[in-house]
Amino acid sequence: MATRTWAPPGPLDLGRTLGVLARGPGDPAYRVAPDGAVWRASRTPEGPGTIRIAARAGEVRAEAWGPGADWLLDTLPALLGADDDPTAFAPRHRLLHEAHRRHPGLRLARTGLVLESLIPSILEQKVTSDEAYRAWRLLLQRHGEPAPGPADGPAGRMRVMPDARAWALLPSWEWHRAGVDGKRSATVVQAARVAARLEEAAAMDAERAAARLRLVPGVGPWTAAETLQRSNGAPDAVTVGDLHLPKTIGYALTGARGTDDARMLELLAPYTGQRHRACRLILLTGIRPERRAPRFSVNDIRHL
């Protein structure tokens, strides 16, 4: 076990900062312990690693295990938003002003790991969250490896995602068993085959990084934004093409229903450079239009 203590430069809400990295409540690579500590299992450039992060009294203490332990500790400040500048955000709507005031500890996490965020984002394309979370969970449980760390703690029930070669060689029936259709599985395989080039995007500015990701067939603006929000901590990577986000943003800021992408981008224009942060703050308010249509049914291709 290796350890590190770090003092954030300002308020830090550990749960809200890192919560976006969890892919559903049963994510095998992410756990929140009863004491509030966050556990993450990652495949780093140095190999698999597990990190436990706890924040108390203005200080963060982290413990890490496995070949990737030192890498995880070295990148801890970036993960917790040390490169993020919340003061660059100037709220111009009373709702955003209040949300910004209520959540001073929100930071935009930067994992520095592209494939780790890209693959689950691909799995979330054109399906319900429940379907995507189930697929991610099943794939990690069947093809990931046990997370390093104490077996009698959360790490004992966690998994590290497969490496790029394992993703590329996953047979078609395993994708089918996880409920992933051929289009999404083909996109993951294509991404895995050029994983080294994609990981370079973690050190690029958001525009160049998005262009790099979109060279992969099947990766569009939605998937690139969802990835870079996590891997690069990109404050302006606004998600377009989402079924619910435009409606939520439009309703929260204007009270109107049925907002589309174009109108959402108009409403977010005053926050150019910080549009992703604006979206995060709006979502934290919990203000959403009342659902008027039935939920989408879950299409389980495993039974076909």
Side-chain angles (χ1 to χ4, degrees):
M1 181 181 69
T3 65
R4 177 174 182 175
T5 300
W6 179 68
L12 174 66
D13 187 326
L14 185 66
R16 287 193 170 94
T17 296
L18 296 183
V20 295
L21 304 180
R23 301 296 180 157
D27 186 346
Y30 188 99
R31 291 283 188 273
V32 179
D35 63 0
V38 174
W39 292 69
R40 293 189 69 239
S42 297
R43 185 168 295 281
T44 77
E46 306 299 326
T50 304
I51 189 168
R52 175 190 181 272
I53 308 170
R56 286 183 180 83
E59 188 176 80
V60 172
R61 176 175 171 81
E63 303 162 339
W65 298 263
D70 289 341
W71 190 94
L72 289 170
L73 294 177
D74 288 344
T75 58
L76 176 68
L79 177 68
L80 299 181
D83 302 326
D84 182 33
D85 181 15
T87 64
F89 181 73
R92 301 187 182 184
H93 188 285
R94 58 179 179 79
L95 180 73
L96 280 163
H97 186 277
E98 183 64 13
H100 197 228
R101 184 187 69 81
R102 286 178 174 270
H103 303 286
L106 176 67
R107 295 291 184 271
L108 301 183
R110 181 186 184 122
T111 67
L113 300 169
V114 174
L115 211 63
E116 178 184 88
S117 293
L118 177 60
I119 290 177
S121 295
I122 293 170
L123 297 179
E124 292 173 7
Q125 293 174 351
K126 307 297 184 182
V127 297
T128 66
S129 295
D130 287 345
E131 289 176 88
Y133 295 158
R134 181 187 61 197
W136 177 248
R137 184 172 63 250
L138 292 175
L139 289 167
L140 262 62
Q141 288 171 344
R142 289 184 59 83
H143 303 285
E145 62 183 273
D152 58 350
R157 302 183 300 277
M158 297 175 69
R159 308 287 287 181
V160 177
M161 78 170 200
D163 61 18
R165 184 174 185 274
W167 284 115
L169 295 178
L170 207 63
S172 59
W173 58 85
E174 290 294 336
W175 292 109
H176 187 84
R177 181 177 291 180
V180 180
D181 60 79
K183 183 175 181 179
R184 286 181 293 153
S185 63
T187 302
V188 173
V189 170
Q190 292 272 10
R193 288 173 176 168
V194 292
R197 297 301 307 278
L198 295 180
E199 294 294 347
E200 295 172 357
M204 298 177 180
D205 62 72
E207 185 175 350
R208 290 178 59 224
R212 175 68 61 89
L213 296 186
R214 292 182 62 181
L215 290 174
V216 177
V219 173
W222 185 94
T223 307
E226 288 288 310
T227 300
L228 296 177
Q229 289 164 8
R230 296 164 173 84
S231 64
N232 292 36
D236 198 47
V238 60
T239 304
V240 295
D242 192 82
L243 179 63
H244 303 292
L245 185 63
K247 297 180 178 64
T248 299
I249 300 301
Y251 184 77
L253 295 182
T254 69
R257 297 178 180 273
T259 300
D260 59 12
D261 278 334
R263 176 57 176 153
M264 177 183 71
L265 293 176
E266 288 180 12
L267 294 172
L268 293 175
Y271 309 104
T272 297
Q274 295 283 317
R275 292 178 296 176
H276 172 50
R277 189 189 309 278
C279 292
R280 287 285 306 278
L281 289 169
I282 291 171
L283 293 175
L284 284 176
T285 68
I287 297 175
R288 289 172 173 78
E290 182 181 353
R291 186 181 295 275
R292 291 181 172 178
R295 292 181 179 273
F296 285 109
S297 59
V298 176
N299 298 315
D300 191 347
I301 69 168
R302 294 178 298 173
H303 302 309
L304 299 178

